Every structure is written in structure tokens, then in C-alpha cells.
Amino acid sequence: MAKHKIFDLIYRHGKTKKLKTQFELSNMNENIEKIRKLETDLTFNIEETVEPGVVQTSHRALINSKLREKMISQKEIVGNKIEFLMTEKIHLQKLVSSHERKNRKILEKLNELNAEELREKELKEFDRDILFQKK
């Protein structure tokens, strides 16, 4: 029975780890979506600073140029952040699958222990029945 409790505790601990990792993974997905939206907004804003066919003063052209340059650098930073978060997402997905495999193995071991306990119980009953029949 002690083995059964130990494996049950290990299984519960693994299940908790898996749920925690899944929660982190869902947060990571939400962050990635927010940053992708920011990236599309930056792309739209960069395109808005270019006004073809409109006569611009030199001052306005200079401001638009600097603004576009800053937004392009921000877009590059956002792209790097998305790349980093995607790497982290892959890592978290691997952790979740690892937790699932471990939990599955522990559950199989628990089932084996339960089957073994059931066999032992049946053997004891059978032996007891045979003893009663001999008397």
C-alpha cells in the first residue's frame, strides 16, 4: 500500500506541474498574439508615414523620415521578441508533453499495482476458501 500512495503522490505532483506549464503556455500564446498585433500596427503606421503624391515640406519629410526610422527599429525589436517567445513556446510545449508521458507511465504503474493488489486479495480469499472447505 505504501508504494501505491507514493505513486499516487508522484502522479498528483506531475499533474500539478503539467497544469502549471499549460497555464504558462496559454499566457505565452496570449503574449505572442498581443505582440503580433503590435507588429501589424507598426507596419500600418510605417506605411502611413509615406505619402506618395503629396508635396511635403522639408521639415515634414525629415520628421516623417525619423519617425519611420524609429518605428522600423521598434518593429525589428518586436520581431526579435516574437522569435524569442516562439522559442519559449516550443520549450513549454515540450515540457507539457514530457509531463504527459511521465504521468502516463506513473498511471500505468498505479494500474499495475492495483491489479497486483487485486490478485493478491483474490489469492488470499481463494486460500481461505480452500482452508474452510478442508475443515
Side-chain angles (χ1 to χ4, degrees):
M1 192 62 164
K3 282 184 180 180
H4 190 274
K5 283 188 176 185
I6 290 172
F7 279 110
D8 188 47
L9 288 174
I10 292 172
Y11 175 72
R12 287 182 186 181
H13 182 67
K15 195 173 180 182
T16 305
K17 278 183 165 180
K18 179 186 165 195
L19 289 173
K20 181 181 175 186
T21 308
Q22 285 177 330
F23 179 74
E24 289 175 12
L25 184 61
S26 68
N27 284 342
M28 186 71 64
N29 285 333
E30 290 174 7
N31 286 339
I32 289 172
E33 290 304 314
K34 287 178 185 177
I35 293 175
R36 282 197 173 141
K37 185 180 181 317
L38 176 64
E39 185 179 37
T40 57
D41 289 346
L42 280 171
T43 302
F44 178 76
N45 289 339
I46 289 170
E47 291 171 359
E48 287 294 312
T49 59
V50 178
E51 299 173 351
V54 176
V55 178
Q56 295 182 358
T57 63
S58 62
H59 180 67
R60 181 164 173 88
L62 181 64
I63 290 175
N64 281 343
S65 175
K66 287 184 180 183
L67 182 62
R68 191 176 320 109
E69 183 181 317
K70 287 182 181 181
M71 285 191 288
I72 288 172
S73 67
Q74 287 177 350
K75 186 177 175 184
E76 185 178 326
I77 291 169
V78 167
N80 290 340
K81 189 166 185 174
I82 288 175
E83 184 179 329
F84 171 74
L85 290 176
M86 291 300 289
T87 304
E88 289 295 312
K89 178 182 173 182
I90 291 169
H91 175 70
L92 288 174
Q93 287 172 337
K94 287 179 182 178
L95 276 176
V96 167
S97 65
S98 171
H99 290 311
E100 284 179 10
R101 279 193 309 273
K102 288 178 184 177
N103 287 345
R104 198 175 315 119
K105 287 182 181 180
I106 291 171
L107 199 55
E108 288 173 4
K109 186 66 175 176
L110 276 171
N111 290 336
E112 288 175 13
L113 287 174
N114 286 337
E116 189 177 310
E117 285 178 8
L118 185 63
R119 271 185 264 137
E120 288 176 7
K121 186 178 179 182
E122 288 175 352
L123 281 174
K124 285 180 183 179
E125 272 186 40
F126 184 70
D127 289 342
R128 190 181 57 187
D129 289 343
I130 289 176
L131 287 175
F132 283 132
Q133 286 178 356
K134 286 184 180 180
K135 288 182 181 182

